[in-house]
Amino acid sequence: MSAGPPPSKMRRTSQKTTHSRSYPRGVGLDFRKLAGLTLLSYIDHHGVSVRAEAPPSELAVAVARHFESMEVDEETCIGGYLQRLQEGTAGPTDYSRETASFDGRAPPSLARKRRRSKWAARPAEQVAAKVTRTDENGSWILASVQRFYADTETYDVQDEDDTSKLIRLPWSHVMRLSTGAEGCFHKGTDCMAIFPETTSFYRAKVSKDPVWKLSANGNTPLVKEVVVKFEDDEDEQGRTPHRRVPSRYVIPIPHNYFYEESDDVDLTPPTSK
């Protein structure tokens, strides 16, 4: 009686039969031309099942097959996009909730780490950096990124007022600055903003709805400045003045910036009564 094939060969054979590499013919888009990080972003967003060691070619096939299986209502998609442009007030959290596919399960830590690495600030980019261990007002300052370490998810940054030393910070102590196109700073929104003639971010509240204007190329609606009222900024009569701040230097409060959809999920197993 002859022995069967070694277990390792049996495993390799089974992998070949469960992971098809043939690109679906019915998909007109060629996802094989996209960068690996772009494919991973799609995979993380829609929860597509792929092997951890899958090469880009296999990722492209998985994305194409998922894309082919989706049923899309064109009128709903176009209508939602136009409504988003007209309103310009939906926060990033609300928008992601409406467009994301979420099954109630927390994404794996590897997917979270991959997502954070993808959206990490780049060298020489200005950011808001938390340089104290407390949450006191003004603990976030304007800094520039020198390097991001993907393996440890830490940054080396320099204080814009003191470039003589590097500061090592975890990813949760660094926020990217606004582009002016997010549309999340409507009247009454809590935020942090750079106080005039300083490089520190202080807690504030948006006091007027922002004015949208087209960008220089005329294609993208942007907010160039935000009117806010800072905490503890009363004058001698006890009135808090409106202050105009460039939209680039107005950022969400940390809790909203670092929000993850899975934070809304109760991961505590039910207890038996």
Side-chain angles (χ1 to χ4, degrees):
M1 181 175 178
S2 61
S8 59
K9 294 194 179 212
M10 292 176 64
R11 283 195 294 269
R12 283 199 294 269
T13 301
S14 118
Q15 283 183 355
K16 287 183 179 179
T17 58
T18 56
H19 298 283
S20 173
R21 295 177 182 272
S22 60
Y23 198 86
R25 296 181 179 179
V27 178
L29 298 173
D30 191 353
F31 289 99
R32 292 168 292 190
K33 294 182 179 180
L34 297 180
L37 281 177
T38 304
L39 294 171
L40 289 173
S41 178
Y42 181 102
I43 287 168
D44 290 342
H45 181 79
H46 292 283
V48 180
S49 177
V50 294
R51 297 183 302 151
E53 68 276 14
S57 59
E58 189 174 317
L59 298 180
V61 171
V63 168
R65 291 188 178 280
H66 179 270
F67 183 81
E68 184 182 36
S69 68
M70 289 197 303
E71 296 182 2
V72 179
D73 186 329
E74 294 182 2
E75 292 186 1
T76 301
C77 290
I78 295 175
Y81 176 73
L82 293 176
Q83 181 181 2
R84 161 77 171 162
L85 289 180
Q86 290 173 354
E87 293 180 352
T89 58
T93 297
D94 294 334
Y95 183 64
S96 65
R97 281 173 172 163
E98 293 172 2
T99 58
S101 173
F102 184 62
D103 60 5
R105 295 176 298 177
S109 58
L110 180 61
R112 290 189 179 204
K113 185 174 182 180
R114 196 162 54 203
R115 189 181 305 152
R116 288 194 292 264
S117 294
K118 177 187 175 183
W119 295 110
R122 306 305 181 211
E125 180 179 340
Q126 278 191 324
V127 295
K130 185 173 183 285
V131 294
T132 68
R133 294 187 178 184
T134 65
D135 291 324
E136 64 188 38
N137 210 2
S139 60
W140 290 79
I141 65 169
L142 187 64
S144 61
V145 172
Q146 302 303 301
R147 186 174 177 181
F148 175 72
Y149 301 90
D151 54 341
T152 58
E153 294 190 288
T154 55
Y155 286 93
D156 280 343
V157 303
Q158 282 184 337
D159 184 345
E160 289 286 32
D161 280 345
D162 181 8
T163 59
S164 62
K165 61 181 179 181
L166 289 176
I167 307 172
R168 180 69 56 87
L169 296 172
W171 66 270
S172 58
H173 284 209
V174 174
M175 284 196 277
R176 302 184 75 174
L177 301 183
S178 172
T179 64
E182 294 85 359
C184 53
F185 296 116
H186 51 86
K187 184 177 179 180
T189 301
D190 291 323
C191 63
M192 296 197 304
I194 286 185
F195 195 83
E197 300 182 4
T198 75
T199 56
S200 295
F201 291 84
Y202 293 89
R203 290 189 290 270
K205 187 181 291 288
V206 178
S207 54
K208 294 184 180 181
D209 281 322
V211 177
W212 290 82
K213 297 181 180 180
L214 289 178
S215 59
N217 60 21
N219 295 327
T220 307
L222 298 173
V223 172
K224 295 185 177 180
E225 63 179 11
V226 180
V227 181
V228 304
K229 286 186 175 183
F230 286 95
E231 287 187 6
D232 305 321
D233 188 31
E234 296 86 357
D235 57 21
E236 295 179 354
Q237 286 74 38
R239 295 174 298 188
T240 303
H242 297 278
R243 296 188 183 272
R244 297 180 181 274
V245 181
S247 61
R248 175 174 175 77
Y249 300 128
V250 180
I251 57 178
I253 58 176
H255 173 75
N256 289 342
Y257 181 89
F258 294 110
Y259 170 86
E260 296 230 23
E261 187 73 53
S262 58
D263 292 340
D264 279 350
V265 183
D266 184 3
L267 300 179
T268 307
T271 57
S272 57
K273 294 184 180 179

